[in-house]
Amino acid sequence: MTLTDDVTLALLLAGCGFYLAGTVGLLRFPDVFCRLHALTKADNLGLFLVCSGLAVHSGEARVVSLLLLIWLVGLLAATVSAHLIARHAHQHLATSPEDSNEQR
Amino acid sequence: MTLFLLDGLIVVGLVTLAYQAVSSRSLFRGIIHFVVFGLTMALAWARVGAPDLAMAEAAIGAGLTGALMLVAYRRLVEGRSDSPADPAPAQSRLALPIAIGSGLLVGVIGLSALFSEVEPAQAGQAVLSELQQVDLGNPITAVLLLYRGLDTLLEVAVLLTAFLAARAVAGADGGEGSATTPAPETPMVGALLAVVIPLTVLVAIHLLRAGSYEPGGAFQGGAVLAGAGVLLILSGRIAATPVAGPLIRMGLLAGLVSFMLIGLVPLLKGSPLLALPGLWAVYFIETAMMLSIAITLILLFAGGGGLKRGRNG
Amino acid sequence: MTASALALIVFLPLLAACATVAFPGRWVGLIVRTGLLPLPLLMLVPTAAVLDQNVVHLALAGHASPLGIEWRLDSLSLLMLWLNVGITVLISLHAGFTFRPDSDRGRRFWPLWLILFASMNALVLSADLFNLYVTLELVTLAAIGLIAVESKPAALRAGMRYLLLALMASLLYLLGVGLIYGQAGTLDLYLIAEQIEPGWLPVTALTLMIVGLLIKSAVFPLHAWLPAAHGNAPGPVSAILSAMVVKVSIYMIWRLWFWGAAGWDLTTAANLMGLLGAAAIVYGSLAALVQDRLKMIVAYSTVAQLGYLMLLFPLASALAFQAASYHLLSHGLAKAAMFLAAANILNSVGTDRLQRLAGVDQRLPLDVFALALGGVSILGLPPSGGFVAKWLFLEAAWQQQAWGWLILVAGGGLLAAAYLFRVLGVICLHPRKRLDKRPRRENPDLASVAALILAVGAIAAGFFSAPVLDLVSAGLPPGMTP
Amino acid sequence: MDSLGLYVLAAAVLFGVGVYGLIVAEHLMRKLFAINIMGNAIFILLVAASGPIQGSPDPVPQALVLTGIVIAVSATAFALALMVRLYQETGQATLSSRDDGDDG
């Protein structure tokens, strides 16, 4: 185990932790907005940590830039879809847990 | 060990998702499970050493099949407040025994095929040894275009036939279906499209070009391109029309027609049918096929015969 | 020369299909004619080639198997090609009126029709197991698109049921192909026998493929989808479905059985296939006897007549092969004629319920005549093509002293007589129950003429059997001697 | 390749699940899920049935499966269109009930 391996492992584990937190939030929070909040924030950070872990592991400039691109596209997709879902929920749905549960 | 765990996780996921897809409470959930099943299948292909299939499965199997199912679901819910009638599963006492029996049969067949002592396949060996002579690094592209070209040609014909048959049974509303009702405009969508559409086109072209020496090719590229089209339809930038304009018609047929015509030309010189006259022909046909595949899939999604500029376009 | 002709026989209709999609205006009629009418002439070239050298091999793209795909043309595939070309061109005469090329219906119909035609040509030429799968999928999708083209609820439902079963059938076939490839290392149908011994895995693979194909060809007890699909499709489509589409999968079974598995001992399985055929003959005929719609009767008659094609497996002699091939030919012509005539009657009367058809012979004499002529061939009365086929079956069974099959063939004719005379009796033998209403719609003369030509063809097949039978016996499967 | 064996087992179970779904499910879309699942199981077997050539996987079955995937999506797309039309005409997206005895 070299230092890079250690750093990679730490970053990946941290990333998985955020994903786990996001998923728990998705399952446990009461309504759409809380869920989106948990999901997007935690998952974006999780993706960033996983990507940077892999970047440290590879160290090649090409791979690193590809990973950066993946993170950016992931961010963009998450942002826009969270925005659309939130807007739809805001306009059309009551925010009680049962209703949002139905729509998921 | 870790890899074995990963495989185990994928396999358990596949089975669970498949079961959920056919038996979950609501149809909508079923669709979602099926899409995730497709994505997990892509992981499985990557694990058994088939990256081309992984890409195809992710783009076509999960992505576009899922989109088509969602849009069909939407047509079923159209004009009703409740979710579409989803009759209770048939009570069949035979279902479980038959399912277990056929699963066992397939398992026995599969395992004995896997562990039977066979020579490496002649056809595969021939492909790998012939491959030295042409400048195509990806044996799968070589098989699809050079050695088993007729399969690929007819496969593009199958896709076209599915489209024509779907058009033939389309209802009177054919064209202006609800799939084309765009979401209300928001600046976020514009920003997304401005970034994602060029990027998707770039990825499609990359996949097409990469197909000759590494995983990728016309089908994967076409499916990714179709994804961009689906996004444009959903955001109301383009919309379906009942009848296609000349440009769309040309695009729809480009792959099949160019493959047939280029395949017929060698006959004039006394060469065999489908003996492609050089690698340029491979690239030309692949590009045309990618366009046709993308347009056919987009039209199938839109549920129309043609495309026009949409409400938000 | 042969290569170019065969290439055009497959690609010309396919290109025409693309052209009808590209130019959906008033040129459709002309394009369809360009895609169909040269085919009978083009067929002369491969015919000459087969008469000259018996078997023609074409390695597509110049890559012979196992690397590439080969086309292989012998007497049987030539017969299938001629049958497909002839029947499709004649039905197209009829379809030209039901689906006018310049109408919206026509624009939906003709591309699929041309693709169906081209894909069946490609299927009978192919020597490659996987390529056969692709062509078979093409045939199925185009055929079901055509069944549902008028979007009547019954046809939609029948098409959907057909589609689900056909997809399942294809999967079974595909699994078999994969196993064969794993064992033999090649996909060439005609190389399997050289490459592998009949162990349990190859036999399982063959079984899977054949069960898949039996579903697609609606052999009893896997026939449940056929009557609804054939009975509710538009007239020209019913005609091609019964005349060709179910036959091409039986053709594939013959190929797998007698060429692919040449030299394997399949006696038990052959008897089982024969029994399925026997059950199909009895069940199909009895079911036809109790139907009250003309098209359903004709459809159940197809279930019964397909049974005869299964008798080839237990009899397995040169004579039986001639008989089965000739049955394929004459049934194709007769059944196409009967479905077209039934479509004309349905179109004119507005229903095809039997009790409402009394006296229809007064109004539509040509169609009823075509129906009767087709019926004569189905019954196997001399001098029809059906008679030649049944006679050869009887001779083959006699030669092998297979009395069971002999009784079956003779009895099958009687059962067919029962349901066909019931139809003709209701139509012709009710002097007082004249149809009082005016025809709902007039049929163009050519629509009846097309049915009549096919019916006369089925009868004429009885007079000109010698050259066809010679051709068939020049291309017997390995191991059969005349 | 022991993991391939695991996937072959998975294919067997998937095939069984597909058969079960095909029998039990009433809604046509579920039947399509089932058929697609069975298809994927068979694709796995296709790749598994032929051994590797000098260490690398045989490209031919992979090319065949690629063709198979495209055919599967084509057939599914047409089946969905057929189902939607059937639903519009009859109000049902199932095959059960009512027989097919309408006048042709």
Side-chain angles (χ1 to χ4, degrees):
Chain A
M1 288 280 263
T2 59
L3 183 65
T4 29
D5 281 350
D6 287 336
V7 175
T8 304
L9 193 65
L11 284 169
L12 287 181
L13 281 177
C16 290
F18 275 100
Y19 268 116
L20 192 66
T23 312
V24 169
L26 177 71
L27 293 173
R28 302 294 299 169
F29 277 152
D31 66 33
V32 177
F33 302 106
C34 294
R35 283 176 178 166
L36 280 176
H37 167 84
L39 195 61
T40 44
K41 283 193 177 163
D43 279 11
N44 283 340
L45 193 55
L47 182 61
F48 173 74
L49 289 170
V50 169
C51 283
S52 38
L54 293 175
V56 171
H57 182 69
S58 113
E60 273 179 63
R62 181 168 166 273
V63 178
V64 172
S65 50
L66 275 178
L67 284 167
L68 185 70
L69 192 65
I70 289 175
W71 180 59
L72 285 176
V73 174
L75 258 188
L76 188 71
T79 315
V80 177
S81 44
H83 169 71
L84 287 175
I85 294 173
R87 217 174 58 131
H88 183 79
H90 183 64
Q91 286 168 351
H92 299 281
L93 301 176
T95 47
S96 72
E98 290 80 4
D99 284 355
S100 55
N101 205 12
E102 274 307 295
Q103 285 301 320
R104 197 157 55 82
Chain B
M1 183 60 203
T2 324
L3 281 179
F4 191 74
L5 269 180
L6 178 64
D7 286 328
L9 213 59
I10 292 175
V11 163
V12 171
L14 281 175
V15 171
T16 319
L17 288 164
Y19 180 74
Q20 289 289 329
V22 295
S23 68
S24 69
R25 266 176 297 144
S26 83
L27 196 55
F28 187 73
R29 273 167 192 256
I31 298 177
I32 301 299
H33 281 120
F34 183 74
V35 171
V36 182
F37 170 80
L39 289 173
T40 317
M41 243 348 260
L43 284 182
W45 285 127
R47 285 291 305 138
V48 298
D52 287 85
L53 296 180
M55 279 186 197
E57 181 67 40
I60 306 176
L64 277 157
T65 311
L68 290 170
M69 283 175 166
L70 280 173
V71 87
Y73 177 81
R74 196 157 156 180
R75 299 228 163 91
L76 294 187
V77 235
E78 216 168 355
R80 338 171 28 131
S81 48
D82 52 339
S83 52
D86 187 14
Q91 293 299 322
S92 171
R93 220 174 287 159
L94 286 177
L96 207 58
I98 292 177
I100 292 174
S102 50
L104 278 178
L105 181 70
V106 168
V108 172
I109 292 172
L111 286 179
S112 48
L114 184 63
F115 293 117
S116 67
E117 294 291 321
V118 286
E119 304 277 302
Q122 292 172 0
Q125 283 179 319
V127 170
L128 292 180
S129 65
E130 282 276 317
L131 207 60
Q132 317 295 332
Q133 297 166 23
V134 288
D135 191 22
L136 278 176
N138 182 354
I140 295 171
T141 305
V143 173
L144 287 177
L145 269 292
L146 297 181
Y147 309 132
R148 303 184 62 85
L150 186 64
D151 277 350
T152 309
L153 191 153
L154 292 174
E155 165 194 6
V156 179
V158 168
L159 187 60
L160 179 70
T161 307
F163 166 72
L164 292 173
R167 285 304 297 154
V169 301
D173 69 320
E176 322 276 351
S178 68
T180 56
T181 336
E185 185 64 5
T186 125
M188 292 287 277
V189 173
L192 175 78
L193 293 181
V195 178
V196 168
I197 298 298
L199 204 63
T200 317
V201 174
L202 213 61
V203 170
I205 294 173
H206 168 75
L207 282 175
L208 175 71
R209 213 179 56 91
S212 43
Y213 48 91
E214 56 186 57
F219 291 101
Q220 292 89 340
V224 168
L225 209 54
V230 167
L231 205 57
L232 286 174
I233 291 174
L234 288 177
S235 60
R237 294 304 189 278
I238 53 177
T241 58
V243 182
L247 208 62
I248 294 289
R249 292 204 297 264
M250 294 303 144
L252 195 63
L253 300 167
L256 185 56
V257 171
S258 64
F259 206 153
M260 278 195 280
L261 290 180
I262 295 179
L264 282 170
V265 168
L267 289 171
L268 298 176
K269 297 180 297 188
S271 307
L273 176 69
L274 293 177
L276 301 183
L279 277 184
W280 67 266
V282 173
Y283 297 137
F284 184 85
I285 292 173
E286 282 227 292
T287 313
M289 281 199 320
M290 181 178 83
L291 278 179
S292 295
I293 291 163
I295 290 181
T296 316
L297 290 172
I298 293 172
L299 287 175
L300 278 169
F301 176 80
L307 295 172
K308 65 174 183 208
R309 185 176 284 267
R311 218 177 300 170
N312 298 337
Chain C
M1 185 70 175
T2 317
S4 306
L6 288 178
L8 284 178
I9 285 169
V10 174
F11 283 179
L12 192 63
L14 211 50
L15 280 170
C18 291
T20 55
V21 177
F23 308 105
R26 57 205 162 93
W27 299 107
V28 172
L30 187 68
I31 295 168
V32 170
R33 281 184 204 107
T34 324
L36 285 177
L37 294 182
L39 273 270
L41 278 179
L42 279 171
M43 278 300 297
L44 296 176
V45 181
T47 309
V50 169
L51 290 178
D52 186 39
Q53 35 183 308
N54 260 337
V55 181
V56 180
H57 281 277
L58 280 182
L60 297 181
H63 298 295
S65 58
L67 177 61
I69 296 173
E70 283 189 15
W71 275 352
R72 182 180 181 279
L73 181 72
D74 64 2
S75 314
L76 184 59
S77 30
L78 186 74
L79 183 76
M80 292 293 287
L81 272 184
W82 265 116
L83 195 61
N84 191 29
V85 169
I87 292 184
T88 304
V89 168
L90 285 171
I91 299 178
S92 298
L93 274 184
H94 185 278
F97 297 101
T98 331
F99 298 95
R100 301 195 68 85
D102 51 4
S103 70
D104 187 47
R105 283 155 55 84
R107 275 191 286 277
R108 290 170 180 226
F109 173 84
W110 287 103
L112 289 172
W113 181 256
L114 289 165
I115 290 174
L116 178 65
F117 176 52
S119 57
M120 285 196 286
N121 288 340
L123 186 145
V124 295
L125 284 173
S126 182
D128 183 280
L129 292 175
F130 188 77
N131 189 247
L132 282 168
Y133 163 75
V134 182
T135 51
L136 198 61
E137 289 297 271
L138 202 50
V139 169
T140 309
L141 284 187
I144 297 173
L146 288 169
I147 291 175
V149 80
E150 287 179 324
S151 295
K152 290 182 182 155
L156 288 169
R157 198 176 283 117
M160 193 75 212
R161 184 171 290 137
Y162 182 8
L163 181 59
L164 289 177
L165 278 170
L167 289 177
M168 212 173 65
S170 312
L171 288 180
L172 293 180
Y173 176 82
L174 190 59
L175 180 56
V177 172
L179 293 177
I180 293 279
Y181 179 75
Q183 298 294 303
T186 173
L187 289 162
D188 191 313
L189 198 161
Y190 302 90
L191 293 181
I192 301 173
E194 298 172 15
Q195 293 293 334
I196 33 177
E197 299 294 311
W200 90 269
L201 214 49
V203 169
T204 310
L206 191 73
T207 313
L208 287 169
M209 292 160 88
I210 287 178
V211 171
L213 293 169
L214 285 175
I215 297 177
K216 287 218 177 193
S217 44
V219 171
F220 185 89
L222 305 170
H223 65 281
W225 60 268
L226 183 141
H230 289 205
N232 289 308
V237 180
S238 306
I240 199 72
L241 285 174
S242 271
M244 284 308 299
V245 173
V246 287
K247 307 280 176 58
V248 293
S249 24
I250 291 203
Y251 162 86
M252 278 173 69
I253 303 179
W254 287 359
R255 286 293 189 194
L256 286 173
W257 192 284
F258 294 108
W259 280 266
W264 296 12
D265 179 23
L266 299 169
T267 319
T268 320
N271 283 324
L272 185 68
M273 296 285 264
L275 285 177
L276 291 185
I281 293 173
V282 175
Y283 172 85
S285 307
L286 292 179
L289 205 50
V290 298
Q291 295 302 311
D292 66 338
R293 279 181 49 204
L294 180 57
K295 280 186 78 172
M296 292 304 270
I297 295 173
V298 185
Y300 270 105
S301 158
T302 298
V303 173
Q305 295 294 313
L306 287 174
Y308 289 99
L309 296 176
M310 306 294 287
L311 298 185
L312 174 56
F313 298 104
L315 292 173
S317 64
L319 216 51
F321 188 70
Q322 287 183 328
S325 306
Y326 214 72
H327 181 73
L328 202 119
L329 173 95
S330 59
H331 176 256
L333 292 168
K335 201 42 76 68
M338 291 175 78
F339 262 123
L340 290 190
N344 288 339
I345 293 173
L346 172 65
N347 183 46
S348 174
V349 183
T351 175
D352 64 344
R353 290 202 182 276
L354 214 47
Q355 66 269 27
R356 306 249 322 259
L357 296 184
V360 85
D361 57 326
Q362 303 287 317
R363 188 200 294 166
L364 302 167
L366 280 184
D367 294 310
V368 174
F369 187 50
L371 194 68
L373 282 185
V376 165
S377 180
I378 297 283
L379 289 179
L381 291 182
S384 65
F387 168 72
V388 174
K390 299 229 164 108
W391 183 258
L392 286 168
F393 267 125
L394 290 175
E395 229 179 291
W398 181 269
Q399 236 179 27
Q400 301 178 28
Q401 301 175 337
W403 310 123
W405 302 131
L406 193 129
I407 293 168
L408 178 74
V409 173
L414 288 178
L415 283 172
Y419 63 78
L420 286 167
F421 283 128
R422 172 171 166 251
V423 171
L424 294 177
V426 170
I427 289 180
C428 306
L429 298 182
H430 280 276
R432 267 179 243 152
K433 282 175 77 179
R434 289 274 170 265
L435 280 181
D436 44 4
K437 282 187 294 179
R438 319 183 115 257
R440 201 173 70 151
R441 249 176 277 154
E442 291 287 345
N443 291 315
D445 291 339
L446 208 51
S448 306
V449 170
L452 203 58
I453 295 176
L454 283 162
V456 170
I459 300 293
F463 293 100
F464 306 103
S465 57
V468 180
L469 292 175
D470 284 348
L471 179 77
V472 169
S473 53
L476 292 175
M480 283 188 194
T481 42
Chain D
M1 259 206 179
D2 53 347
S3 72
L4 202 53
L6 190 64
Y7 284 103
V8 168
L9 280 179
V13 180
L14 286 179
F15 193 85
V17 170
V19 170
Y20 177 77
L22 201 59
I23 300 173
V24 164
E26 287 284 315
H27 200 284
L28 285 170
M29 202 185 273
R30 281 190 204 276
K31 285 191 192 284
L32 288 177
F33 297 157
I35 285 186
N36 273 297
I37 288 166
M38 285 161 74
N40 274 311
I42 283 174
F43 292 157
I44 294 177
L45 293 180
L46 228 60
V47 170
S50 80
I53 299 167
Q54 293 146 20
S56 60
D58 187 345
V60 176
Q62 294 199 14
L64 303 188
V65 170
L66 195 56
T67 307
I69 290 177
V70 176
I71 291 181
V73 74
S74 308
T76 307
F78 171 50
L80 288 170
L82 201 57
M83 176 192 78
V84 168
R85 185 61 198 264
L86 183 67
Y87 177 77
Q88 289 170 348
E89 293 291 319
T90 66
Q92 287 177 315
T94 60
L95 286 179
S96 55
S97 79
R98 292 228 332 240
D99 77 87
D100 302 295
D102 298 11
D103 276 13

